[in-house]
Amino acid sequence: MVRRTDTRNRMVASAAELFHTQGYHATGLNQLVSAGSAPKGSLYFHFPGGKEQLAAEAVAFSSENMAALLRATLDSAPDAATAITRVIDALGRNLVGSGYRSGCPIATVALDAGDSEPIRQACTDGYTSWHAVITEYLAGQGIAAQKAATLATIALSAIEGALLLAKTQHDLAPLHAVGEHLRATFERELP
């Protein structure tokens, strides 16, 4: 027998992928239920807040996965310059592997469903968690806390923009250009 939490978790994971690639408004309720291999009435059973609740939870799920990937990638690098190169390479591989459909796991939803407070808050929390991972890493490399936070903002914003350009242009050049610039910036800022 399938446990309720299995169905719920499967729905969140499949919704995360659909919202990531299609956006909030282009993803229909029937598609969400079908992709989650869930019975027809299960959406409102598991998510009384409906599609909006499912989207907020899917964004949180995607954000947690990206934060874990960022942390693992950064922590395994011998230095900040290598770390940023590895992050850029991982994002580029994901983008190419998806046929340029999967850029940032929450940007599509953030741009598409900004009028929903629960979804906007989930996106804010996601970006905040990524910012914290980058800030913590840079501070651990010896950069002063305030400077590390500023650099994390610059890095996150630049990478987010580069992902969007790379996705729309079907070309990794913007991502690589930003990666090189960030690499040089980190090398210059490290004590």
Side-chain angles (χ1 to χ4, degrees), residues 166 169 171-178:
Q169 295 172 3
D171 184 357
L172 293 181
L175 198 55
H176 291 302
V178 163

Side-chain angles (χ1 to χ4, degrees), residues 24 51-53 55-57 59-60 63 106-128:
Y24 179 76
K51 181 180 175 183
E52 183 180 50
Q53 180 186 353
E57 291 189 32
V59 165
S63 297
I106 62 175
T108 305
V109 175
L111 295 170
D112 195 27
D115 55 339
S116 163
E117 183 55 26
I119 296 172
R120 187 201 64 76
Q121 188 59 56
C123 292
T124 297
D125 293 346
Y127 285 124
T128 300

Side-chain angles (χ1 to χ4, degrees), residues 23-105:
Y24 179 76
H25 293 297
T27 304
L29 295 177
N30 288 335
Q31 189 179 22
L32 289 165
V33 171
S34 176
S37 301
K40 195 91 166 139
S42 62
L43 178 69
Y44 290 101
F45 176 76
H46 291 291
F47 306 95
K51 181 180 175 183
E52 183 180 50
Q53 180 186 353
L54 176 56
E57 291 189 32
V59 165
F61 173 81
S62 294
S63 297
E64 291 165 10
N65 287 341
M66 179 57 79
L69 173 68
L70 272 173
R71 184 170 281 109
T73 303
L74 294 173
D75 289 348
S76 69
D79 54 63
T82 303
I84 193 62
T85 299
R86 288 181 181 174
V87 168
I88 295 294
D89 288 348
L91 293 171
R93 279 191 306 276
N94 182 56
L95 192 56
V96 170
S98 71
Y100 289 91
R101 291 180 41 98
S102 299
C104 170

Side-chain angles (χ1 to χ4, degrees), residues 120-143:
R120 187 201 64 76
Q121 188 59 56
C123 292
T124 297
D125 293 346
Y127 285 124
T128 300
S129 72
W130 302 347
H131 184 271
V133 169
I134 298 166
T135 300
E136 180 183 304
Y137 174 79
L138 292 172
Q141 294 293 307
I143 297 175

